Amino acid sequence: MAEHAVEFSRCGGIETGGRLDAPAFHRNHRPIWAVLERFLAGKSGDVLEAGSGTGQHVVHFARHRPDVMWWPSDLNEAHLRSILAWRAQAGLNNIRPPLVIDLADPAWCEEMSDGGGPPSLLGVVCANVIHIAPWRVAEGLFAGAARYLRADGLVFLYGPFKRDGRHTSISNAVFDTSLRHHDPEWGVRDLAEVEQLATGNGLLLREKVDMPSNNLMLVFARG
């Protein structure tokens, strides 16, 4: 079954100290980390999470890889507050304060070019975002990744996808209908269209990893 980010906002209830809790985090953080762990093994540098939502994922990743600097980001004010709260609660030195990134803008934010952000990126992690956003967000995601990734950098894109224009499960089809009812610009994206978008930005699909609940992890690298 596709993951419903309570689902459109990607947040659930409020915990002590302003920390938001996303049910999807509890379902998917282990399989997502298993993929990241494999591809990031033996590497160090800066990894940006594009659309961090509550901030729970980036804390989980940072606990497992203290030698990597993790950069959360979001545009939603409630999410940014939650990220700060989770970061403070975790007390980890390898999580930077969240960047205010508008993924619809290929430049992302001023900090990416004025020295306030990471100089170059080992990775970009984006989970459950492009189907809960207009297509221009996917366009900006790949344009920015192409601009800021280092030569061996990778993009990790997680979520539900159609294949050859068809849904991979009835639950994904129902989820897609609910998304488009909420906003006609939203919807489960077709894998071929996402791959074409990435290729147009010089990023090639390196691996497709089947994930629980009819999701995929797509891993892109420079061509």
Side-chain angles (χ1 to χ4, degrees), residues 1-3 128 158-161 163 172 209-217:
M1 183 175 179
E3 289 180 336
N128 285 333
Y158 170 87
F161 296 91
R163 299 199 196 196
N172 278 10
V209 183
D210 288 322
M211 304 290 279
S213 303
N214 300 306
N215 290 291
L216 289 174
M217 178 72 87

Side-chain angles (χ1 to χ4, degrees), residues 3-178:
E3 289 180 336
H4 299 251
V6 192
E7 277 275 346
F8 304 127
S9 68
R10 306 180 71 220
C11 296
I14 298 177
E15 292 194 350
T16 303
R19 300 188 307 274
L20 297 171
D21 181 41
F25 164 77
H26 301 283
R27 297 192 295 267
N28 66 31
H29 66 282
R30 290 185 181 87
I32 288 176
W33 175 247
V35 177
L36 298 183
E37 184 177 35
R38 175 161 62 91
F39 280 95
L40 298 179
K43 299 179 180 181
S44 61
D46 297 277
V47 176
L48 183 140
E49 185 182 26
S52 295
T54 64
Q56 291 166 282
H57 280 102
V58 76
V59 168
H60 181 74
F61 303 155
R63 284 197 177 111
H64 284 77
R65 283 297 302 271
D67 55 332
V68 170
M69 183 60 69
W70 297 88
W71 296 76
S73 72
D74 213 287
L75 188 60
N76 180 285
E77 290 186 6
H79 293 176
L80 293 167
R81 290 193 297 268
S82 180
I83 294 165
L84 285 170
W86 279 108
R87 176 177 180 263
Q89 191 268 346
L92 300 173
N93 294 325
N94 61 324
I95 305 176
R96 297 300 301 268
L99 296 170
V100 182
I101 287 182
D102 181 0
L103 289 176
D105 179 357
W108 289 0
C109 65
E110 291 183 2
E111 289 85 350
M112 295 301 298
S113 57
D114 69 4
S120 63
L121 293 172
L122 167 64
V124 175
V125 181
C126 187
N128 285 333
V129 170
I130 68 168
H131 58 286
I132 313 178
W135 181 245
R136 61 182 177 274
V137 165
E139 293 173 332
L141 170 69
F142 281 105
R147 180 179 300 190
Y148 302 121
L149 280 176
R150 67 193 206 190
D152 63 342
L154 300 169
V155 175
F156 302 90
L157 185 61
Y158 170 87
F161 296 91
K162 293 187 288 187
R163 299 199 196 196
D164 300 320
R166 297 181 178 181
H167 291 289
T168 60
S169 69
I170 294 175
S171 61
N172 278 10
V174 172
F175 185 37
D176 183 47
T177 299
S178 67

